[in-house]
Amino acid sequence: MKKAFKTLLTVSFGAAILFAGIASVPSVNGDSVEKMRVNVEQGETPDSGKVIYPPDKRVS
Amino acid sequence: MLYYSKTERTITVNVGSIIKYYRTKKGLTQTDLAEGICSTSHLSKIETNMYTANEETLNMLLERLDLRLEDEKNRMREIEDLLQEFIESLFAYDEEQIDYLYVQISEIKDYIETSDYVNLYHIYMYRYFVWGRMPEKEKEMLGILQRIKTTFTATEQNLYLFIQALNSSFSGDYKASIKLFKEFLDNPLPVSKFWIGEAYYQLALSYSHINQHEASVIYAKKASEVFEKESNWKRLIHTQMILGICYMELRLFTEATALYKPLVRNSRIFFRDSVYPHILSNYARCLLTSKEYVKARKLMEEALELLGKGSEQYMVVLLNWLESGLKIDLITEEWERNLDDFHDFSLNLENKYYFYYAVYLKKTQFSQVDGIKYAIKWLYPYLIKNSYYQEAEELLPGIIDYYSEKEDSEKVIYYYDQWRELIQKERSYNEEGF
C-alpha cells in the first residue's frame, strides 16, 4: 500500500513537472505563423540585414 | 546652363515664350496684343519661338505688356540660382532648405516652363519627389520626363541617366544601378562636382548591397574626397557609414576601429537625432563580429534607448542584442521580454526576416536542437534565397554540428559544400567588382 502510494506520488510529481515544462515553452502563435507564410512570397525584405545603411530618402 | 561650371554665365531668354506667358496672364488675345504692331499670325510665330522678331517689333510688344528685356534676363538669372540651390540642397540632404525652395520654385512654375530651364525643372522635381517619398507625384513626373526626353540636351540626357540609375538603386536592382552610374561617369560632359560625388556614393552603396565590399570601399573613398571638398558633411557621414560596414564585412577591424571612433563622436555631436544611433548599431555589429560582446551590448543598449520602438532600425539593433545575449548566455527576464517584443514587432512590420529570426531565437532559447531544426527548414533557406550570405554563414557551424552528432555524413558534406560556396561567392563578388 505504502509502495503504491509512493509510486502514485512519483508519477504525479513527474506529470506536474512535465506539465509545467510544456506550459513554460513559449508558444508561437499559429495564426501569425500562417500570416507570415502567406506573406513569404509577397512581403518585404529589409534592405540591410543586421547593419543599418544611411537614409536616402526623407526620414518620415 | 546651370549644371555647367559657373565661370561664364550666358543667359538665354526665350522672348516669344515670355510674351505668351505675360499675354495669357493679362488675359489678352493675340489679336489684342498684335493690334497696330504686327499681324496675329506673325505674333503667333514669335510666341512659339519659330520666328525672331526685329528689335522694333519686339520693343513695341514688350512695352504694351509693360515689360523690360533686362528685367526678364535678371529673372532668368534668379531662376538659375534658385534651381541650382535647390539641387544642391537635395544633394546635401538639407531638409528645411529643400522644402523652402520647393515652395518658391512651385510659385513660379509657369514662368520656368517658358524658359530653357523647363527640362531641368522636371528632372530636379522628380528627384525631389523621390527623396520626399511622394510616389504619386513621382510617377506623374516620371511620365512627363519620358514624354519630354526627346527634347533633352546632351547634358540633360546624362542627368536623366543619373535619375534612372538612382531609380534602379531604390528598387533594389543594384547591378543595373552600377551599370548606369558608370555610364553616367564615363560621359565626358561637364557636370557639377556634387553630381559626381553622389554618383560615387551611389556606386559604393550599390556595391556594398551586393556584397562587393572591396569595390564599395574604392568608390566610398572617391565620394569622400568630393564631399570633403564640397563640405557636404551629411553625405560625408553617410559615406563613412558605408565604409564602416565594408571594413566590418572585410574583417578589417583595425581600419574599422580607426573609422568608428571619430564617426561615433562626430555623429553624436552633429547628428544625434538622426544617424547617431544607426552608427552606434553598426559599430556594435562590428564589435560583435570581432567577439567584443560586452562593449557591443553597451552600444546597442544606448542605440535602443534613442530609436523609436518597433522601427526597422530598432529591429536591427534588437536582433543583434538578442543574438549576442544568447551567445554569451545572458538569458534574463529582460531578454525574454525583448524577444517577445521583437516577435510582435516583426508581425506588425510584416517582415519575414525578423519573424524567422524571432521564432528561431524562441526555439533556440529552450533547445539548441529545435532552433537548428527550425533554421534548417525556414531561416537558412530564406537567407540564402534573399542573398543574406553573411547571416547564412553564421548558421552553418550549428547546422553542421547538428548533422555530425546525428552521424548524417551526407548532410554534413552538403552543408560544408554550401559553406565553401558562400566563401567562394564572396571572393568572386569582390573580384567582379573590379
Side-chain angles (χ1 to χ4, degrees):
Chain A
M1 183 68 189
K2 205 176 170 189
K3 197 179 175 187
F5 181 71
K6 200 177 168 188
T7 313
L8 184 68
L9 208 64
T10 315
V11 170
S12 307
F13 264 121
I17 290 165
L18 190 67
F19 178 75
I22 292 168
S24 68
V25 173
S27 63
V28 175
N29 186 327
D31 286 347
S32 32
V33 173
E34 207 36 56
K35 192 178 170 201
M36 287 311 292
R37 299 263 156 82
V38 172
N39 285 328
V40 158
E41 297 311 321
Q42 313 154 0
E44 292 220 340
T45 52
D47 81 340
S48 54
K50 290 180 187 173
V51 290
I52 302 174
Y53 278 96
D56 251 324
K57 293 184 178 182
R58 185 198 283 274
V59 182
S60 45
Chain B
M1 299 293 280
L2 70 163
Y3 35 76
Y4 294 104
S5 57
K6 285 171 115 188
T7 43
E8 201 176 304
R9 215 173 176 200
T10 318
I11 297 292
T12 323
V13 178
N14 296 327
V15 190
S17 307
I18 288 174
I19 289 174
K20 186 182 175 186
Y21 170 78
Y22 282 107
R23 178 182 61 74
T24 320
K25 207 175 167 194
K26 284 177 188 273
L28 297 173
T29 63
Q30 283 185 335
T31 319
D32 293 337
L33 180 61
E35 196 184 351
I37 301 174
C38 61
S39 69
T40 310
S41 66
H42 192 66
L43 175 61
S44 177
K45 282 176 187 160
I46 294 171
E47 283 190 353
T48 50
N49 298 309
M50 280 169 66
Y51 186 87
T52 313
N54 65 42
E55 209 180 326
E56 198 188 342
T57 311
L58 201 60
N59 284 337
M60 284 164 81
L61 288 169
L62 290 171
E63 204 176 311
R64 184 159 295 172
L65 288 166
D66 209 13
L67 297 174
R68 271 176 6 107
L69 201 55
E70 201 44 46
D71 291 344
E72 296 315 306
K73 278 187 181 169
N74 287 336
R75 206 158 170 211
M76 283 298 158
R77 274 189 200 101
E78 279 170 25
I79 289 173
E80 183 181 310
D81 290 342
L82 198 58
L83 285 173
Q84 177 77 1
E85 214 185 314
F86 182 59
I87 195 67
E88 280 180 16
S89 300
L90 269 166
F91 279 118
Y93 285 70
D94 183 355
E95 292 196 22
E96 252 178 65
Q97 189 71 355
I98 294 169
D99 288 333
Y100 169 73
L101 292 170
Y102 170 70
V103 173
Q104 284 206 317
I105 291 171
S106 300
E107 281 169 5
I108 52 165
K109 172 181 170 276
D110 292 345
Y111 189 79
I112 295 174
E113 284 181 348
T114 69
S115 71
D116 279 351
Y117 302 121
V118 58
N119 291 343
L120 274 187
Y121 162 80
H122 286 109
I123 291 172
Y124 294 178
M125 279 301 149
Y126 178 72
R127 179 75 191 91
Y128 172 74
F129 294 140
V130 171
W131 168 79
R133 298 174 193 269
M134 293 179 248
E136 286 301 312
K137 291 196 168 184
E138 181 190 320
K139 211 172 148 192
E140 187 190 326
M141 198 51 82
L142 190 62
I144 296 176
L145 284 176
Q146 274 159 357
R147 278 200 303 278
I148 62 171
K149 68 181 178 194
T150 49
T151 67
F152 286 168
T153 63
T155 308
E156 284 163 357
Q157 265 169 27
N158 207 26
L159 299 187
Y160 183 58
L161 188 66
F162 182 100
I163 293 288
Q164 287 172 306
L166 206 57
N167 265 354
S168 302
S169 171
F170 286 156
S171 58
D173 189 352
Y174 298 113
K175 286 194 173 168
S177 144
I178 289 167
K179 187 177 161 279
L180 293 170
F181 273 119
K182 284 193 171 172
E183 214 176 297
F184 169 82
L185 287 168
D186 284 344
N187 233 328
L189 291 159
V191 287
S192 296
K193 269 278 178 197
F194 52 76
W195 289 95
I196 310 272
E198 186 66 18
Y200 286 148
Y201 173 85
Q202 291 294 339
L203 278 167
L205 188 69
S206 294
Y207 271 125
S208 176
H209 273 301
I210 57 164
N211 298 318
Q212 295 186 20
H213 301 289
E214 287 175 14
S216 176
V217 168
I218 292 170
Y219 284 104
K221 288 197 166 174
K222 286 183 178 210
S224 288
E225 266 178 46
V226 178
F227 294 144
E228 261 176 46
K229 271 187 197 152
E230 301 274 303
S231 300
N232 188 345
W233 305 125
K234 218 170 189 174
R235 234 27 187 160
L236 190 59
I237 290 272
H238 291 170
T239 312
Q240 289 182 341
M241 281 175 80
I242 297 175
L243 268 177
I245 293 169
C246 293
Y247 287 151
M248 178 199 71
E249 299 288 3
L250 294 167
R251 304 289 188 269
L252 297 170
F253 295 122
T254 315
E255 282 80 354
T257 310
L259 176 99
Y260 273 118
K261 280 192 174 164
L263 184 56
V264 166
R265 186 175 56 243
N266 287 330
S267 60
R268 187 180 57 240
I269 298 170
F270 300 110
F271 303 100
R272 196 178 169 83
D273 297 331
S274 53
V275 290
Y276 173 59
H278 307 171
I279 289 164
L280 282 181
S281 165
N282 288 349
Y283 186 24
R285 173 82 187 144
C286 181
L287 291 169
L288 286 180
T289 316
S290 58
K291 298 192 169 41
E292 291 186 59
Y293 297 110
V294 179
K295 198 173 169 188
R297 284 172 70 81
K298 230 173 122 185
L299 295 179
M300 286 188 276
E301 279 156 17
E302 189 184 344
L304 286 171
E305 286 282 317
L306 295 167
L307 289 164
K309 269 198 168 189
S311 66
E312 182 99 4
Q313 291 85 6
Y314 185 86
M315 295 296 275
V316 173
V317 187
L318 195 53
L319 174 57
N320 281 311
W321 185 86
L322 289 165
E323 276 200 314
S324 63
L326 202 60
K327 244 172 212 156
I328 56 172
D329 227 3
L330 248 179
I331 311 298
T332 57
E333 273 182 25
E334 188 194 7
W335 189 92
E336 285 175 6
R337 235 184 0 257
N338 277 338
L339 178 54
D340 283 339
D341 282 351
F342 183 74
H343 174 257
D344 294 345
F345 290 143
S346 78
L347 291 172
N348 289 345
L349 289 170
E350 294 197 352
N351 190 310
K352 292 172 297 211
Y353 178 91
Y354 300 127
F355 175 77
Y356 284 144
Y357 264 110
V359 181
Y360 164 70
L361 289 171
K362 272 186 185 244
K363 288 190 179 281
T364 308
Q365 177 192 359
F366 291 98
S367 156
Q368 193 101 26
V369 172
D370 282 353
I372 294 291
K373 276 186 189 167
Y374 181 80
I376 294 167
K377 193 169 180 197
W378 295 106
L379 182 58
Y380 183 79
Y382 170 82
L383 294 173
I384 292 290
K385 191 181 163 202
N386 291 285
S387 315
Y388 294 110
Y389 299 135
Q390 201 77 42
E391 286 92 329
E393 238 182 278
E394 284 170 13
L395 292 172
L396 280 171
I399 296 177
I400 290 169
D401 278 353
Y402 167 75
Y403 282 121
S404 291
E405 267 174 40
K406 281 184 74 181
E407 293 180 358
D408 187 340
S409 52
E410 207 175 296
K411 283 279 193 312
V412 171
I413 292 167
Y414 171 78
Y415 282 102
Y416 262 125
D417 282 345
Q418 290 254 310
W419 205 346
R420 242 194 312 276
E421 257 176 55
L422 286 182
I423 292 167
Q424 221 157 28
K425 198 169 264 186
E426 224 168 277
R427 200 170 301 145
S428 66
Y429 264 149
N430 282 318
E431 279 161 12
E432 201 183 301
F434 293 103

